[in-house]
Amino acid sequence: MYEGVVQDLIDELGRLPGVGPKSAQRIAFHILQADPADVRRLTHVLAEVKDKVRFCTVCGNVAQAERCRVCQDPRRDPAVICVVEEPKDVVAIERTREFRGRYHILGGAISPIEGVGPDDLRIRELLARLADGTVTELILATDPNLEGEATATYLARMVKPMGLKVTRLASGLPVGGDLEYADEVTLGRAFEGRRLLDV
Amino acid sequence: MHVSHLSLADFRSYARVEVPLDPGVTTFIGSNGQGKTNLVEAIGYLATLSSHRVAADAPLVRLGADRAVIRAAITHGERQQLIEFEINPGKANRARINRSSQVRPRDVLGILRTVLFAPEDLALIKGDPSERRRFLDELIIVRSPRMAGVRQDYDRVLKQRNTLLKSAALARRHGGRRGAPTTTKSIEADLSTLDVWDQHLARTGAELLTQRHALIAALQPLTDKAYEQLAPGGGPVGLDYRGSAGDSPHHGVPGTFGASREQLYELLLGALADARKQEIERGVTLVGPHRDDLLLKLGELPAKGYASHGESWSLALALRLASYDLLRAEGESGEGGEPVLILDDVFAELDTRRRDRLAELVAPGEQVLVTAAVDEDVPGVLTGARCTVYNGRVERT
């Protein structure tokens, strides 16, 4: 145990995701030894992030204004919505530069163990967006784990009566890798999702 | 296949031990509490990623140490593979194969195949259904390591679904009381996701069931044969699956045992729908592979409750011998190889006749590892290397 504020700092850092007690201690001492200007900059952005960043009223992504950049952009196709769990998933998909539609961020996945039910996710907002008929395709891009699959299944069932096209991202082999290193589940899925090769 | 070297660090009573091993029979002799079983337990752990003695990992780590390490060299024909497994109780375990970078612990499954006989096996006959489910599922995973993932997924879906049912059951009870906050709306929303969990439970459950049915069909004749060899004229042995969804060869819906995966999926979905009201009342999943049992019969009578102590022993041994036969037969055609046989303290439990029969049956195995308190317990047919185990030291004699 350290004295007073140093221990407080370690405790606070230790509450962050992915930071264990040892890392918390290392970061705390790094901050203690750092240049005061650097630390001031850090405290400034920490304060600012809570004040300035808002969530887009349409898709739920992090935004600086009422609507996020994607939702403001008239070139993005309003007929296709890609549903993801977290804002960081949007960043990942944007990096591909393949997707020109809009997003919808759920804020997590259904998981009774963690006390997350459909009411805790932004599902009602999604249904509201689908109501006016502009959207023709819904891409379900929740994580390929059990909770993500369950959430995707749930959404697919919910929107089924609306008669729009519902797709799920394919799971399969990593590009540039060796087949022999793929685990059985991924390889099995890749077999299930194989497609005709047009030549 | 055989284990050509075993090395332990902070595992059970051992701070450090190196044990070179040869094919054929090796007997570890030592008084109680000297660490014989710990050696074979470590080998069994690498094959199943669980101990045959305890459910949790914590007791496997030497008192005062943070983690235990098991290293084993497995020789399979010309090929040698090195498994290194670090047990970190409360944290993620770590595994390496052939000094590679870290792999998922699950990837270790399938490299070493073992069949382990132990005094605990008596629970297969006399114990709870969970013992028999564990027997089936462990063997399924040895036959097809991919199933470890399916099993994990099933357990996870089950846990999610049970949590959902439990909270619904709780809310229902409190919702009826005056002054309690009305949560009816969220109960409805929660229950609307139940259909989704049903679907996932049925999907993973059907995969597990298909494998269990196939395993039982393969084990049935082998167990009967092994029992006849151990206790002539005592059979026949019956293996009867009691599925909570009605998938039983004799007692459930006719024709559901051995059905296709799609049929079992539908069967499970239907059974879940039928049980839903009751499940919500009790707050727990009542249908699925986790509620099933394997009914073992001698002649017309169930072994549990009817078989004598000796008969129970013979039947437990017959199940293990059948597993060995099955894995050996598959190993010849596939890439598995002959499993390593481990007999942990079993001879002391048996009468002379059963002892000799068992010894004759296992003696030709590629590698047979035996533990015993005294030399006299081990039948003469099992000639081979002897090691004495005393106070955490293993010495070849």
Side-chain angles (χ1 to χ4, degrees), chain B residues 18-54:
Chain B
E18 301 288 333
V19 189
L21 291 163
D22 291 321
V25 181
T26 302
T27 309
F28 298 98
I29 304 279
S31 321
N32 294 327
Q34 301 301 317
K36 311 176 295 282
T37 295
N38 301 348
L39 295 173
V40 291
E41 181 183 30
I43 294 176
Y45 188 96
L46 287 186
T48 57
L49 298 191
S50 66
S51 155
H52 70 283
R53 294 153 86 194
V54 285

Side-chain angles (χ1 to χ4, degrees), chain B residues 164-185:
Chain B
L164 185 62
L165 287 169
K166 205 177 288 167
S167 65
L170 258 172
R172 205 161 254 228
R173 248 169 269 152
H174 290 285
R177 215 184 284 158
R178 275 169 66 93
T182 31
T183 41
T184 344
K185 193 159 174 287

Side-chain angles (χ1 to χ4, degrees), chain A residues 111-113 146-147 150 153 183, chain B residues 104 156 160 195-196 199-200:
Chain A
S111 172
I113 296 174
L146 193 66
E147 290 74 20
T153 319
D183 68 286
Chain B
R104 284 177 314 170
R156 179 90 186 155
Q160 290 281 20
D195 286 338
V196 172
Q199 226 177 331
H200 286 269

Side-chain angles (χ1 to χ4, degrees), chain B residues 118-172:
Chain B
E120 285 83 356
D121 287 349
L122 207 52
L124 283 178
I125 318 300
K126 299 187 170 183
D128 293 338
S130 62
E131 303 280 349
R132 289 176 286 280
R133 288 194 296 264
R134 186 181 134 120
F135 165 75
L136 293 174
D137 290 349
E138 267 183 9
L139 194 52
I140 285 170
I141 291 169
V142 174
R143 289 177 84 195
S144 144
R146 178 183 75 82
M147 289 303 293
V150 175
R151 184 65 233 245
Q152 237 171 34
D153 278 355
Y154 182 80
D155 290 344
R156 179 90 186 155
V157 182
L158 187 64
K159 208 171 150 194
Q160 290 281 20
R161 197 174 181 276
N162 281 341
T163 314
L164 185 62
L165 287 169
K166 205 177 288 167
S167 65
L170 258 172
R172 205 161 254 228

